[in-house]
Each structure stands twice: as C-alpha cells, then as structure tokens.
Amino acid sequence: MGIVAAEGGGLRDNFGSMTKPFHAGHAAENGTVAVDLAALGWTAADDILEGALGFFQAAGGGFDPGAIVDRLGKPWTLASPGVSIKPFPSGSLSHPAMGELLRIVKENNLKPGEVVKVDVGANHSMTTTLYHHHPTTGLQGKFSMEYCLSILILERKAGLVQFTDAVVRRPDVQEMIGRINFYVDPEAEAAGFDKMTSILKVHLKDGRVLAGRAEFAKGSPSNPMSYDEVADKFRGCTEFAKWPAQKTEAAIVFVKNLEKQPDMSALAVLLTA
C-alpha cells in the first residue's frame, strides 16, 4: 500500500524508506513514457494544465498564467537560481545545520565527550519533514536532524558509510541522538520557508555555548561547492561502491577538462564497470 500510494504522488509518510527516492525517479520515468506515447500518436486533453478539470485546478485550486506564459528559458533554472549539489546523502533540509555544526566542531576541535547538548532551531516545515527523531535505520537517518548532527559530532563526516543501519544503531550514536534538541524556533519561522534557517547552540561541559546560524546549505548556488569538494564526494561514493580507485581518479581528471575532451565516449568507459 505504501508503494502503490506513491504511484499517485509523493507522500511524506514514505520519507525514511526505500520509496522516498522512488518518488522522484518514478516522476522522471513517467515523463519519458509520456514522450514515447505522444510520439506514437497517443492522445490526451490539450488543455490539461489550464482546463477547468485540469492539473492546476486539481493540484492548486487555480493558477496565474502570467507566472508561466512566455517564461520558458527566462531564465533557465540551470542558470538561475543555479544547480544545487548535495554534500551529504540526507534530506537537504538538514544540510545548513550540518555544515554549520561541522564548522563549529572542526574550528574548536570538539570531542564528543565535551558536548552536553545541541539546540537546533528551524521552521516548522523542516521539523515536520525531518520527522524521524529516533531513527533505527540508515534510511530513517536521512530524515533525522538528530542523527545527522550526532554522526558529525562523533565522526566529523556523513557519507554513504554513515547512513547504514549498523551505524545508526550503534550505542554511542543512539546516546548522542538524545543530546540533540530539534525544535521550531520563532526566529527561523519568521525568516520564511524560502530559507532553511538553522540556529545552533552547542552547549559544552566547561560552560561555553558555541553559537552558529546558516540560511542556506553548502552546495547551494549561494554557497557552492568547489570542484575539489565535489570530487571528494564522488570519491566517497565510489569507495562505498567498491569502485576501482584508478577509474575514479581518471573520471575526476576527465570531467575537470571536459570542454577540451575530443570524445565523450571515453567518459562512458570510465563510468562503466
């Protein structure tokens, strides 16, 4: 039932399960199937978007033609606001807080035993999306602010290796999760849902409180990842997949010089087992 419900549309109740990424993948699959069917002469309503019984009425109760008419390519989303690359394999709403906490941990060389509690305030859309407050699986950990911050305190990294059932269930991880206080902060709420405002306070045993705040995530157009940072993420992914290191490094060099490459088929070879 959980899978078939997702066939009709993405539902947040599937967050923290295998079916969450199915939402986006199935939508993309449907788009390509629609193109193939249209090419074969398959028919459908030609006013399906704006019709009285169409998509905009059903999904939004109406629409504003001025928001979309004559706007194609003005701008292209790839140019503005630009591409976002996720540095961590978790829900993107966790990323501003993760990046800020990692900065605090590294700059102060914090050890797990020094941390008494971490308060992280956000808007209610973030708290109701990252709703696995006591995760027990790697998939639930992807949608748990508590887990995402805990693993950074413990290991200073959050890659594919960290989002496994075994790591999430470790006693030290579960204990650290209990030190994270994730709540709706009025200031973050007032900042608006177009931001992912995350307000952090790290309480230490020596009485100090280290504060931090982030509006956008590392990897977003306003705070982009460097090529080397993206390459490091790629290395982590290929290492998790037990990919040959030689092919990994060759692919990184190839892509860095992509515009000078005479033949793209060489890249396909590098990315094929």
Side-chain angles (χ1 to χ4, degrees):
M1 289 300 294
I3 298 169
V4 76
E7 299 273 2
L11 299 169
R12 273 197 233 179
D13 199 35
N14 274 320
F15 282 23
S17 74
M18 291 180 180
T19 299
K20 195 284 175 183
F22 173 82
H23 293 168
H26 187 53
E29 177 190 25
N30 286 342
T32 60
V33 169
V35 171
D36 287 343
L37 289 173
L40 293 172
W42 196 282
T43 63
D46 57 12
D47 64 345
I48 195 61
L49 294 179
E50 73 276 16
L53 302 177
F55 180 80
F56 292 139
Q57 292 294 337
F63 69 102
D64 175 13
I68 59 172
V69 175
D70 296 325
R71 292 285 302 278
L72 183 62
K74 302 175 185 178
W76 294 111
T77 301
L78 288 174
S80 178
V83 177
S84 291
I85 298 176
K86 296 173 65 173
F88 309 110
S90 57
S92 59
L93 292 177
S94 66
H95 290 189
M98 292 177 74
E100 185 63 7
L101 179 65
L102 189 58
R103 179 192 68 78
I104 292 172
V105 168
K106 288 183 175 180
E107 287 185 2
N108 295 276
N109 194 27
L110 294 182
K111 304 297 188 294
E114 297 178 81
V115 178
V116 175
K117 182 178 73 166
V118 177
D119 292 322
V120 53
N123 64 53
H124 81 268
S125 178
M126 295 167 68
T127 60
T128 56
T129 300
L130 304 172
Y131 62 80
H132 287 286
H133 305 299
H134 303 282
T136 57
T137 68
L139 290 172
Q140 290 177 354
K142 290 173 178 285
F143 295 91
S144 170
M145 180 70 85
E146 292 85 348
Y147 174 74
C148 290
L149 299 188
S150 293
I151 200 62
L152 289 177
I153 294 171
L154 291 165
E155 300 190 4
R156 300 191 181 188
K157 57 185 177 181
L160 290 171
V161 172
Q162 282 70 43
F163 287 92
T164 58
D165 295 355
V167 174
V168 172
R169 292 170 184 167
R170 275 177 13 205
D172 62 328
V173 173
Q174 289 293 315
E175 191 277 331
M176 184 62 73
I177 285 173
R179 302 189 213 174
I180 310 298
N181 173 36
F182 184 33
Y183 68 100
V184 176
D185 187 286
E187 187 177 348
E189 187 85 355
F193 296 154
D194 59 331
K195 297 184 178 68
M196 296 183 284
T197 302
S198 303
I199 301 171
L200 284 84
K201 291 182 180 178
V202 182
H203 301 262
L204 304 181
K205 281 187 176 180
D206 62 11
R208 288 182 296 155
V209 178
L210 305 178
R213 176 180 176 132
E215 306 287 349
F216 300 99
K218 181 70 175 178
S220 65
S222 58
N223 187 16
M225 295 173 69
S226 68
Y227 185 85
D228 288 342
E229 288 172 329
V230 177
D232 282 341
K233 175 186 176 178
F234 179 64
R235 289 187 183 98
C237 293
T238 58
E239 182 180 355
F240 181 78
K242 296 180 172 56
W243 197 260
Q246 184 177 359
K247 295 187 79 171
T248 297
E249 296 305 319
I252 290 171
V253 172
F254 187 99
V255 172
K256 191 169 187 177
N257 299 283
L258 193 65
E259 295 183 2
K260 300 177 183 178
Q261 303 295 348
D263 184 2
M264 289 297 106
S265 65
L267 181 60
V269 173
L270 291 174
L271 299 178
T272 302

